[in-house]
């Protein structure tokens, strides 16, 4: 895999039963399992490939409140506290730091939008600082140019995508939970109209609670259960460079390119919104639901190729529980990065930050960002199947809010007071209509 990832040794034997089974070892799945185990539940996490190997290791690593949609801001704020608390609780390192996030712009409309968000954020108790032209240019002096303005969010930060999910999985196992890699969940068994077991390629685990946190695979898994979950994936290409650049911000966003310092001293480089839509049968099925999203964000999207079909994660086919599934044929979604996008990203980064000319490209990769039709994740028990909890469709925001999402899932399972209001995330909204209610950011 081109995206850097720490690999871990996981549990050898599948348990015969568990209080909860988590399907999918990305950042949301491991945090959900971790918080359930902390409450004394017997937890098993099954992952068809490797923990953290898909989008959880292929993102920027930003953990932000800045520019969050109003529905996501509360869980973003809680997640920042949980990122910090996790290190103290577990002794594991996710690379999280409250380094602050820095935005620069020469577009007055964009700056005005940030100012409006700042005014909203104040009502939610979130601090963000609008920067004048002088302040922005001084803080952004590594660019060597003058800017019209910017914004700095001092309490936001970053974590390391190559370290985070594996670190949480290790913490889960310290608590007695089990983690099973290269073990695909093929489907569920039911009794009396509710979940009774999770069927994996390596055996069946009896349980009353199954949590689907399978990222881009979630909709096709739900289809096997007769549950309609509108989901579509966008392929995003990014790259990393070696250490050697000095005097750069830890996390900087501009319209041209964004850069993030990694734990090894190198940087991740990306162009925000430069995604490719790879046509699939599932996208055609849910096309109507995604019209508002497309109309709002079409300038940030480009037509793709066959990577979505090759991946198999958006198939409309039904599979058997006693035979290999598409998830076993493609253990890890590792789509080809768009070569033109990689070249353009690197070119823009060198132009914006001359210090990066002292570095070399160390890796380039792509990942599938799974999105809902309104750009807000689906978190909650499905009305169609009691005991089946959906936690997917994080729309490119899942890494930063992973701890809060995991905590909320644990609250739902145990009947505890939820860490945030769960109503905006409940999957039942797709049974009515999320038409036109697209996230602002």
């Amino acid at each position: 895999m081109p995206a850097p990832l720490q690999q871990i040794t996981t549990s050898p034997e599948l348990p015969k039963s568990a209080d909860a089974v988590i399907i999918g070892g990305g950042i949301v799945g491991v945090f959900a399992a971790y918080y359930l185990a902390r409450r004394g539940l017997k937890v098993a996490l099954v992952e068809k490939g490797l923990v953290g190997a898909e989008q959880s290791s292929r993102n920027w690593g930003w953990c932000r409140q800045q520019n969050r949609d109003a529905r996501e801001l509360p869980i973003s704020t809680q997640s920042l506290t949980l990122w910090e608390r996790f290190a103290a609780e577990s002794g594991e390192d996710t690379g999280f730091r409250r380094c602050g996030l820095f935005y620069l712009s020469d577009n007055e409309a964009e700056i005005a939008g940030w100012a409006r968000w700042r005014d909203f954020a104040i009502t939610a108790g979130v601090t963000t600082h609008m920067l004048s032209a002088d302040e922005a240019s001084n803080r952004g002096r590594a660019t060597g140019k003058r800017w019209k303005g910017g914004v700095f969010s001092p309490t936001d930060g970053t974590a390391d995508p190559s370290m985070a999910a594996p670190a949480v999985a290790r913490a889960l196992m310290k608590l007695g939970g089990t983690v099973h890699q290269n073990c695909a969940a093929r489907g569920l068994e039911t009794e009396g109209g509710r979940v009774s077991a999770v069927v994996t390629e390596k055996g069946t685990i009896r349980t009353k609670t199954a949590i689907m946190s399978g990222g881009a695979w979630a909709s096709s898994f739900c289809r096997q259960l007769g549950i309609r979950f509108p989901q579509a994936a966008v392929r995003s290409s990014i790259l990393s460079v070696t250490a050697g650049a000095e005097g750069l911000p830890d996390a900087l966003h501009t319209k041209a390119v964004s850069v993030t310092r990694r734990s090894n001293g190198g940087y991740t480089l990306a162009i925000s919104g430069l995604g490719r839509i790879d046509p699939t049968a599932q996208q055609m099925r849910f096309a109507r639901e995604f019209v508002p999203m497309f109309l709002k964000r079409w300038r940030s999207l480009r037509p793709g190729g066959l990577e979505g079909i090759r991946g198999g994660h958006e198939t409309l086919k039904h599979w058997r529980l006693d035979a290999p599934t598409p998830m076993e044929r493609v253990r890890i979604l590792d789509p080809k990065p768009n070569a033109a996008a990689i070249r353009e990203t690197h070119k823009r980064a060198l132009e914006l930050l001359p210090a990066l000319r002292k570095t070399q490209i160390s890796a380039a990769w792509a990942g599938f960002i799974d999105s809902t039709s309104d750009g807000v994740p689906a978190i909650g028990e499905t009305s169609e199947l009691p005991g089946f909890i959906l936690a997917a469709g994080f729309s490119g925001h899942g890494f930063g809010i992973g701890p809060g999402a995991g905590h909320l899932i644990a609250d739902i399972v145990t009947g505890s007071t939820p860490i945030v209001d769960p109503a905006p995330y409940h999957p039942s909204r797709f049974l009515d209509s999320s038409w036109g209610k697209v996230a602002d950011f």
Side-chain angles (χ1 to χ4, degrees):
M1 295 179 299
L5 176 67
Q6 288 186 359
Q7 296 190 25
I8 59 174
T9 300
T10 48
S11 313
E13 294 186 11
L14 203 69
K16 295 186 181 300
S17 65
D19 295 320
V21 176
I22 293 82
I23 303 168
I27 197 69
V28 173
V30 292
F31 266 118
Y34 171 76
Y35 286 117
L36 285 167
R38 280 185 59 84
R39 300 179 194 201
L41 274 67
K42 182 181 179 182
V43 178
L45 183 147
V46 295
E47 164 55 49
K48 62 182 173 49
L50 300 177
V51 167
E54 292 189 342
Q55 193 55 25
S56 290
S57 61
R58 296 164 186 260
N59 61 85
W60 299 9
W62 284 31
C63 306
R64 65 179 172 89
Q65 300 165 104
Q66 179 69 38
N67 290 347
R68 286 288 191 194
D69 183 84
R71 289 164 288 185
E72 282 190 0
L73 184 56
I75 202 169
S76 302
T77 300
Q78 293 289 350
S79 291
L80 286 164
T81 300
L82 294 174
W83 276 111
E84 283 184 321
R85 189 179 298 165
F86 171 77
E89 291 173 345
S90 67
E92 295 285 348
D93 182 14
T94 63
F96 176 75
R97 297 179 303 129
R98 286 199 192 240
C99 57
L101 305 182
F102 179 32
Y103 296 61
L104 286 169
S105 182
D106 280 329
N107 185 297
E108 293 181 358
E110 185 175 39
I111 295 169
W114 294 341
R116 287 192 298 273
W117 189 88
R118 183 270 316 271
D119 294 341
F120 152 71
I122 290 173
T123 68
V126 175
T127 299
T128 188
H129 301 300
M130 294 301 301
L131 304 177
S132 67
D134 286 344
E135 291 169 332
S137 300
N138 181 57
R139 185 177 283 273
R141 55 189 173 276
T143 66
K145 60 169 288 187
R146 184 166 178 80
W147 297 86
K148 288 187 177 180
V151 63
F152 181 65
S153 51
T155 59
D156 289 349
T158 64
D160 193 322
S162 70
M163 300 165 56
V168 183
R170 288 193 298 267
L172 164 63
M173 290 185 285
K174 289 179 185 177
L175 294 173
T178 60
V179 179
H180 310 275
Q181 298 182 114
N182 294 304
C183 181
R186 292 176 172 174
L188 306 181
E189 291 181 353
T190 62
E191 290 180 5
R194 65 167 296 122
V195 171
S196 62
V198 173
V199 180
T200 80
E201 63 179 292
K202 295 183 178 179
T204 299
I205 308 173
R206 307 299 299 179
T207 188
K208 293 183 178 180
T209 302
I211 298 158
M212 164 42 62
S213 57
W217 297 88
S219 184
S220 59
F221 190 94
C222 286
R223 191 173 303 112
Q224 313 306 309
L225 308 172
I227 297 172
R228 191 176 193 276
F229 175 41
Q231 182 184 41
V234 175
R235 177 164 51 100
S236 177
S237 300
I238 64 178
L239 69 145
S240 62
V241 296
T242 57
E246 300 293 337
L248 304 188
D250 288 323
L252 170 65
H253 167 77
T254 71
K255 186 176 182 180
V257 69
S258 299
V259 300
T260 312
R261 189 189 302 274
R262 301 183 71 94
S263 295
N264 63 4
Y267 282 84
T268 295
L269 315 178
I271 298 176
S272 178
L274 193 63
R276 299 277 170 169
I277 300 178
D278 298 321
T280 64
Q282 179 173 293
Q283 288 192 1
M284 296 301 294
R285 183 191 185 205
F286 295 134
R288 183 180 182 276
E289 282 93 332
F290 279 85
V291 167
M293 174 77 76
F294 180 77
L295 291 176
K296 188 168 186 176
R297 302 184 180 176
W298 66 271
R299 292 180 180 84
S300 300
L301 301 172
R302 301 288 186 276
L306 299 177
E307 292 302 300
I309 294 174
R310 292 192 188 103
H313 55 291
E314 293 190 348
T315 178
L316 296 182
K317 294 180 180 179
H318 287 266
W319 56 72
R320 293 163 41 188
L321 301 186
D322 60 351
T325 67
M327 294 172 289
E328 291 150 78
R329 289 190 285 273
V330 180
R331 294 283 179 183
I332 296 170
L333 286 174
D334 187 21
K336 294 179 181 178
N338 182 273
I342 294 298
R343 289 193 298 270
E344 180 66 16
T345 301
H346 193 228
K347 174 177 173 290
R348 292 188 188 185
L350 297 186
E351 291 173 350
L352 179 72
L353 299 165
L356 288 173
R357 294 170 187 168
K358 299 177 181 178
T359 70
Q360 297 179 337
I361 295 176
S362 55
W365 62 87
F368 285 115
I369 299 172
D370 63 304
S371 178
T372 60
S373 53
D374 59 6
V376 176
I379 307 173
E381 186 176 42
T382 62
S383 57
E384 298 92 336
L385 182 57
F388 181 62
I389 294 173
L390 186 58
F394 281 80
S395 308
H397 307 157
F399 185 78
I401 65 174
H407 197 293
L408 178 59
I409 293 162
D411 295 337
I412 292 169
V413 171
T414 60
S416 304
T417 300
I419 191 170
V420 295
D421 180 7
Y425 314 113
H426 201 280
S428 62
R429 70 185 190 273
F430 300 116
L431 298 177
D432 302 319
S433 175
S434 57
W435 186 266
K437 302 173 185 176
V438 179
D440 290 329
F441 296 98

